[in-house]
Amino acid sequence: MGSLILPKGWCVLVCVLCFSCIGDVKAGETVEGIVFVDGKSPIAKTDEDFICATLDWWPPEKCDYGTFTIHFRTEVDLKNSVFLNAVKAFSPLKIRLGGTLQDKVIYQTEDKLEPCIPFAKNSSQMFGFTGGCLPLARWDELNSFFNQSGALVIFGLNALKGKSIQPNNIATGPWDPSNAASLIRYTVKKGYNIYGWELGNELSGSGIGVGIDVDTYASDTIVLHDLIHDIYKEVNTKPQIIAPGGFFDPGWFQQFLAKTVGSMNVITHHIYNLGPGSDEHLIDRILNPSVLDNGADVFRNLHNVVRTSTNTAAAWVGEAGGAYNSGRNGVTNAFVFSFWYLDQLGASSTYDTKTYCRQSLIGGNYGLLNTTTFAPNPDYYSALLWHRLMGRHVLSTNFTGSRTLRAYAHCAKQSQGVTVLLINIDGNTTVQAKVDFNGTLTRLRKHRHHRHRSTATPLHHNKQVSGRVREEYHLTPMDGNIQSRTVLLNGKALTVDSSGLIPVLEPVRVNSSEPVRVAPYSIVFVHMPNAAAPACR
């Protein structure tokens, strides 16, 4: 089904209506269905800035499946106008800087006693590269960009500093925080705003390449907590303390939460549930509703672990690229990947995930931005529409009909109404979807448009919306080709202009009494500003 089985205790609307045409869909048919939204109360709540993207440390020599893949590099052009405008459009965008090589990075210190040498390819070293160094001058430039773009920065610290790697690939010994402390003190002295400091990348459990046992990792996290509170003692707003940035292991995560009570704000996990980017059948997996349904299991399981813990840490997806080893060109950077990406956003938010970090903002074949031109790929616009339309409060949603129509609903972000997301992964069938609140609306607001206290750029020119009219944002691929890297919004191609500005995202206005028409292989955001759901007051 498009929606998910919700945690025990939540109200799930079940509809006994069915349509005979749904059972056996023929090519080119139009079918009907009902999207039931329970507007009585929210079932979960995300962060205000749910959307996040990552920047990796990979050097340009990184090679996957025999080909070199362009990744984010520390020397990337931070003055590129498209890059800057793409980040500014979110106002703000969370950016996680780190990834696989973060546990091999040292930070230049102000005394500059040690040389600051970049990564170098070396097949005998872990992950195929030597250690690298972050120059303070580059850290200054990065923070200038983050400040100018309004980004909220999560910085991944080297958790292997001071440790010994044993023959069984387990890192032992306590974390040496001295080099991290030097960078953090410099950051505070310069007045740079860091949203969160994250300890380690994919080292939890058996780890990727190397692992750290849960007792040691918990102790190291407590050391980071104490360090942060000491260095930031004169700063009113303390950064988030985040860990472990690894793959979910129920037993390990449960123990980790128990051992870090009061010392951690966010517990992060990574998702690559589609398998390797080399898989020639990757598109088939993306278009398989069972694969999408199963993708919710990790959110459900982590949610159950977190809610039964005495630890108040919130769950984040700290990195998610879908297909590991840089994704697949023509798939994870094309329109088709928005089906997986938006379904992940919908599913994770249903299970109280607070933030979802996409791998990557730029780099590999799964970047939101083109690795050479910085021009937005289709998923960028999917993320931007989510950010501007989907509010914090998640509503129970259920679509009666084909499993290839995925449905999610949140309270709207820039009004007191509701936004529904519909994703049609069927290439032959048009769905006429009616939205039904099953009596959970109170009254229809008349000519009221309430703006959320967000600094985000309006999606349109502040036009008042009649109580009988809703706003729709239809995303389709250029020429109907789901492997296109150009996306159409309501039939118009989305492209940056000559000055590098992100295009205005204009809706079409539709009579609220009409069903929502969801074309084959398309995505629709439906903003109903006058849907007076009690959950959204």
Side-chain angles (χ1 to χ4, degrees):
M1 294 177 63
S3 60
L4 302 162
I5 299 172
L6 301 175
K8 184 178 180 180
W10 295 119
C11 171
V12 182
L13 295 176
V14 180
C15 175
V16 297
L17 293 175
C18 63
F19 297 89
S20 59
C21 57
I22 294 294
D24 185 16
V25 174
K26 297 179 181 178
E29 279 192 328
T30 297
V31 301
E32 297 177 332
I34 298 179
V35 180
F36 281 104
V37 179
D38 186 347
K40 291 193 296 295
S41 61
I43 60 169
K45 187 177 180 180
T46 70
D47 282 351
E48 181 74 18
D49 306 300
F50 177 68
I51 298 294
C52 168
T54 68
L55 292 174
D56 257 13
W57 285 111
W58 286 115
E61 295 84 8
K62 185 180 190 312
C63 184
D64 292 305
Y65 312 120
T67 60
F68 289 103
T69 306
I70 298 175
H71 279 260
F72 170 76
R73 303 187 298 274
T74 52
E75 68 268 23
V76 70
D77 181 10
L78 298 174
K79 296 182 179 180
N80 182 282
S81 61
V82 179
F83 190 31
L84 178 63
N85 290 332
V87 177
K88 287 177 70 174
F90 284 83
S91 299
L93 175 67
K94 283 176 179 161
I95 295 179
R96 175 200 180 238
L97 178 58
T100 301
L101 295 185
Q102 79 178 51
D103 295 304
K104 305 191 75 166
V105 178
I106 61 169
Y107 321 114
Q108 187 178 46
T109 56
E110 286 190 274
D111 55 29
K112 301 181 181 178
L113 293 178
E114 297 184 14
C116 197
I117 301 172
F119 292 108
K121 192 170 180 61
N122 186 328
S123 59
S124 67
Q125 297 283 313
M126 185 173 66
F127 306 126
F129 287 89
T130 64
C133 177
L134 173 63
L136 286 181
R138 190 54 174 172
W139 184 231
D140 293 336
E141 292 169 355
L142 284 164
N143 277 280
S144 176
F145 174 83
F146 295 145
N147 180 63
Q148 189 178 0
S149 64
L152 301 177
V153 182
I154 296 94
F155 187 87
L157 295 167
N158 180 348
L160 292 179
K161 183 71 171 173
K163 294 185 180 294
S164 299
I165 299 176
Q166 304 305 315
N168 62 352
N169 292 324
I170 295 297
T172 59
W175 177 51
D176 176 0
S178 58
N179 189 230
S182 176
L183 177 68
I184 296 169
R185 287 194 180 94
Y186 178 83
T187 300
V188 172
K189 185 178 80 171
K190 298 286 284 189
Y192 299 148
N193 292 318
I194 301 298
Y195 185 85
W197 296 95
E198 183 176 30
L199 185 62
N201 180 81
E202 297 178 357
L203 300 173
S204 57
S206 57
I208 302 298
V210 63
I212 301 175
D213 71 78
V214 68
D215 289 328
T216 303
Y217 216 131
S219 297
D220 294 343
T221 303
I222 293 169
V223 170
L224 175 61
H225 168 273
D226 295 344
L227 180 70
I228 292 295
H229 279 260
D230 176 56
I231 296 175
Y232 282 84
K233 60 180 177 290
E234 303 297 330
V235 181
N236 290 330
T237 302
K238 306 291 190 293
Q240 301 285 289
I241 297 166
I242 304 170
F247 292 96
F248 178 62
D249 176 310
W252 197 99
F253 271 59
Q254 189 173 44
Q255 292 182 62
F256 186 64
L257 283 166
K259 296 173 185 294
T260 55
V261 174
S263 297
M264 182 175 64
N265 305 107
V266 176
I267 187 163
T268 46
H269 68 112
H270 294 181
I271 294 175
Y272 289 90
N273 65 322
L274 295 174
S278 58
D279 185 359
E280 295 179 356
H281 303 288
L282 194 57
I283 290 179
D284 295 334
R285 292 181 57 75
I286 293 168
L287 300 178
N288 186 333
S290 294
V291 171
L292 298 183
D293 287 343
N294 292 339
D297 290 347
V298 67
F299 307 129
R300 180 188 302 109
N301 295 337
L302 178 56
H303 174 66
N304 288 335
V305 169
V306 169
R307 70 182 179 86
T308 56
S309 171
T310 57
N311 199 318
T312 59
W316 284 19
V317 173
E319 179 182 315
Y324 57 82
N325 286 345
S326 302
R328 186 176 182 86
N329 190 33
V331 179
T332 54
N333 52 11
F335 179 85
V336 66
F337 207 52
S338 279
F339 296 144
W340 176 85
Y341 179 40
L342 287 173
D343 196 74
Q344 280 273 300
L345 298 183
S348 61
S349 62
T350 298
Y351 288 103
D352 221 30
T353 298
K354 302 304 183 184
T355 291
Y356 190 107
C357 297
R358 166 63 182 268
Q359 175 83 344
S360 61
L361 176 57
I362 186 167
N365 290 316
Y366 36 35
L368 297 179
L369 304 176
N370 183 288
T371 51
T372 54
T373 67
F374 296 94
N377 286 323
D379 281 2
Y380 171 86
Y381 294 109
S382 295
L384 188 57
L385 282 169
W386 177 289
H387 176 75
R388 293 182 178 178
L389 290 170
M390 306 290 273
R392 300 185 67 186
H393 293 95
V394 186
L395 304 178
S396 174
T397 308
N398 182 48
F399 177 71
T400 65
S402 172
R403 294 177 66 224
T404 56
L405 195 288
R406 324 284 296 175
Y408 300 97
H410 287 217
C411 293
K413 195 166 191 178
Q414 296 193 29
S415 77
Q416 291 181 341
V418 172
T419 300
V420 175
L421 169 62
L422 302 174
I423 306 166
N424 188 359
I425 60 174
D426 190 311
N428 297 310
T429 304
T430 297
V431 179
Q432 297 280 7
K434 294 182 179 179
V435 181
D436 192 323
F437 290 88
N438 201 37
T440 59
L441 296 189
T442 53
R443 62 183 178 82
L444 195 67
R445 297 188 183 91
K446 296 181 179 180
H447 305 287
R448 286 176 58 189
H449 185 74
H450 169 79
R451 283 184 55 82
H452 194 280
R453 290 181 301 168
S454 169
T455 57
T457 305
L459 279 87
H460 47 86
H461 301 297
N462 244 355
K463 298 175 183 175
Q464 292 246 334
V465 182
S466 165
R468 301 185 202 175
V469 174
R470 64 175 182 259
E471 300 169 326
E472 295 181 0
Y473 301 79
H474 293 254
L475 298 177
T476 53
M478 175 70 81
D479 299 324
N481 177 13
I482 59 174
Q483 291 188 260
S484 173
R485 295 178 68 172
T486 300
V487 61
L488 310 182
L489 174 62
N490 299 321
K492 182 180 179 181
L494 293 174
T495 56
V496 296
D497 65 17
S498 57
S499 60
L501 291 176
I502 302 301
V504 175
L505 305 180
E506 290 276 6
V508 292
R509 292 171 176 81
V510 180
N511 190 305
S512 295
S513 64
E514 297 295 321
V516 181
R517 182 182 182 277
V518 190
Y521 283 156
S522 75
I523 296 160
V524 187
F525 287 88
V526 185
H527 176 217
M528 295 171 283
N530 299 287
C536 304
R537 290 178 177 176

